[in-house]
Amino acid sequence: MILILGTNVAEKPEEYQQLLAHLATMPGIRTRVHVEQGSEQSVTEIYLIGNTKALNISDMQSLPCVDRVVRVSEDYRILGRHKDDQRATHFEYNGMRFGQDTLQVFAGLCAVDNREHVEMMLRALRDNGQVCTRMGAYKPRTSPYAFQGHGKNCLSYVFELAGKYGIKVMAMEITHESHLDEINEALHQTGNPTGVMLQIGTRNTQNFELLKIVGRQTEMPVLLKRGFGITLDESLNAAEYLASEGNSRVVFCLRGMKTNMGDPHRNFVDFAHVPVVKRLTRMPVCIDPSHSVGTRAASPDGIMDMMHVTAQGVLAGANMVLVDFHPVPTEALVDGPQAMLMNELPYFLEDVQIAREAYLKRVELRQRQE
Ligand code: PEP
Ligand code: MN
């Protein structure tokens, strides 16, 4: 059960203390307080854990400070959608809104290789009106002998350049808790020129200790990739780990699943699950056409498979697109063959826009049926 308190309970400290004292007397019930910090106000939620079946909704509703009561099922308590659940399906970060109703494109380098390529990428994004990007500094690689990313050595120039080109949010994968400190330190040293969305990759979806540590920091939102060889339920529970530790600003990313065939695409594209994740949870849903398709192959109509699947995901209501671009893919140290080119950026963005408009028209058509 969740007790949703009125906004800014800090203004009513006595009532709030009365409520906490009352909850503490309830046998078999533990509480967990969760504060959702918005740009203007904060919302406090109290999660009641234990034998809540016996509790009466209207009794709970009449307690001091309580605005609304939501009875949740066991699954995805914080991030899930529950009966009569009117909790937000969006969050704000660094002046941007990420929600089940918005669409952001994060085009950028799979892996940072050098300053020049970062600058070329960011300049192209700015010239095309983009304020988000992806930049991989820590790369989890299949082979221990492959390039592992420049790590902390590239962070200061990546962040400085992001500031120079007006990037508000950059997705950056981390694979170890020490990377959090390195990112925070580099952001601090460069004067916080950009925001960072921490990415948990598919190989770490169930790295519970990493999830807990990332969940305990609430400054940066998290992009959690679906595990490529586990059930959807297991991946959604992984997202819940982040929220249960305090950070519910989570975007869930579909990136294709391993099959025993690996052909014709690097992974089996799973973007049909965009509406499923939106129905089960309150998370915005991202699609990653690059790591799911993994090639620049095109169909006879001349359109690349990566662009076809992007359109399919956006047409189904995706909220974010994470996509690999590179100014000189032959020189890329990671995933060059799946990178899109700088001169394809405006074309890609326009194609996404067509799909988005079609999605909005589909929603409107559905509304007219009521
Ligand atoms: C990536 O986005 O760079 C990446 C490694 O993706 P994934 O974790 O989905 O393989
Ligand atoms: Mn990659």
Side-chain angles (χ1 to χ4, degrees):
M1 182 174 276
I2 309 172
L3 308 184
I4 299 168
L5 310 191
T7 49
N8 296 336
V9 283
E11 288 159 18
K12 303 178 213 157
E14 271 176 33
E15 284 183 42
Y16 184 51
Q17 287 312 320
Q18 269 174 17
L19 172 67
L20 292 181
H22 177 78
L23 296 176
T25 65
M26 290 185 355
I29 302 282
R30 283 181 299 121
T31 57
R32 191 163 198 155
V33 179
H34 181 82
V35 181
E36 196 85 38
Q37 193 63 52
S39 49
E40 278 165 21
Q41 56 190 21
S42 68
V43 175
T44 304
E45 296 171 351
I46 301 186
Y47 288 77
L48 304 185
I49 303 158
N51 182 24
T52 56
K53 283 206 180 71
L55 302 178
N56 178 296
I57 295 228
S58 48
D59 287 352
M60 301 311 290
Q61 196 119 32
S62 63
L63 294 174
C65 290
V66 176
D67 221 24
R68 273 183 299 124
V69 179
V70 178
R71 202 183 271 291
V72 296
S73 58
E74 282 304 299
D75 292 338
Y76 331 132
R77 286 184 195 179
I78 301 175
L79 293 174
R81 277 181 187 264
H82 306 290
K83 193 171 172 295
D84 302 324
D85 189 352
Q86 289 152 20
R87 290 175 301 157
T89 55
H90 69 270
F91 62 84
E92 314 268 332
Y93 176 58
N94 212 20
M96 301 218 35
R97 180 184 167 109
F98 295 91
Q100 288 195 341
D101 55 350
T102 56
L103 176 65
Q104 320 287 354
V105 175
F106 280 57
L109 303 182
C110 177
V112 171
D113 39 26
N114 61 49
R115 187 187 175 106
E116 190 193 349
H117 290 157
V118 172
E119 181 144 24
M120 285 164 87
M121 182 74 237
L122 296 179
R123 190 181 299 123
L125 288 168
R126 183 204 53 195
D127 292 349
N128 284 280
Q130 298 301 296
V131 292
C132 297
T133 189
R134 57 159 295 149
M135 287 284 154
Y138 307 95
K139 298 305 299 178
R141 304 303 303 283
T142 304
S143 165
Y145 308 113
F147 172 65
Q148 306 282 313
H150 288 308
K152 69 172 177 186
N153 297 332
C154 68
L155 295 182
S156 49
Y157 72 76
V158 168
F159 293 155
E160 271 165 23
L161 287 171
K164 176 171 170 190
Y165 290 99
I167 295 295
K168 286 181 179 290
V169 184
M170 168 187 300
M172 179 173 277
E173 177 164 0
I174 62 166
T175 58
H176 190 268
E177 58 182 283
S178 57
H179 302 160
L180 252 183
D181 300 330
E182 292 172 4
I183 288 174
N184 272 319
E185 197 180 315
L187 280 173
H188 182 72
Q189 276 175 359
T190 51
N192 292 306
T194 185
V196 173
M197 183 181 282
L198 299 168
Q199 186 176 321
I200 306 278
T202 195
R203 291 158 191 81
N204 277 312
T205 308
Q206 282 189 312
N207 184 340
F208 299 121
E209 297 311 313
L210 181 63
L211 294 173
K212 286 188 214 164
I213 286 163
V214 171
R216 267 176 228 141
Q217 67 77 44
T218 50
E219 180 53 37
M220 294 178 265
V222 186
L223 179 66
L224 177 75
K225 293 244 185 149
R226 176 186 195 162
F228 53 20
I230 57 177
T231 64
L232 181 62
D233 174 61
E234 287 165 334
S235 289
L236 296 178
N237 268 302
E240 189 71 14
Y241 260 91
L242 294 161
S244 75
E245 292 293 331
N247 192 345
S248 53
R249 296 197 290 176
V250 184
V251 179
F252 189 79
C253 182
L254 299 170
R255 49 81 69 212
M257 301 293 293
K258 277 217 184 288
T259 66
N260 57 351
M261 292 160 272
D263 188 49
H265 295 151
R266 182 170 168 180
N267 289 285
F268 195 84
V269 182
D270 55 351
F271 300 170
H273 292 180
V274 166
V276 178
V277 178
K278 289 174 81 171
R279 172 168 80 234
L280 293 174
T281 78
R282 301 182 292 121
M283 289 184 277
V285 181
C286 176
I287 52 172
D288 178 343
S290 308
H291 291 85
S292 45
V293 171
T295 80
R296 289 179 50 88
S299 59
D301 55 21
I303 301 175
M304 274 184 268
D305 292 10
M306 282 190 290
M307 297 194 49
H308 272 302
V309 301
T310 301
Q312 288 157 12
V314 172
L315 204 54
N319 307 112
M320 180 169 152
V321 181
L322 186 74
V323 55
D324 289 3
F325 271 74
H326 199 285
V328 199
T330 50
E331 291 176 18
L333 298 175
V334 184
D335 285 348
Q338 70 189 24
M340 309 246 333
L341 312 174
M342 291 303 95
N343 62 10
E344 290 168 334
L345 182 60
Y347 160 57
F348 181 85
L349 294 171
E350 194 172 337
D351 201 56
V352 166
Q353 202 45 41
I354 290 172
R356 177 68 178 171
E357 279 161 22
Y359 167 70
L360 294 174
K361 272 194 196 161
R362 293 180 61 222
V363 173
E364 194 220 344
L365 172 65
R366 175 68 190 89
Q367 282 165 354
R368 276 193 273 125
Q369 311 307 305
E370 278 159 15

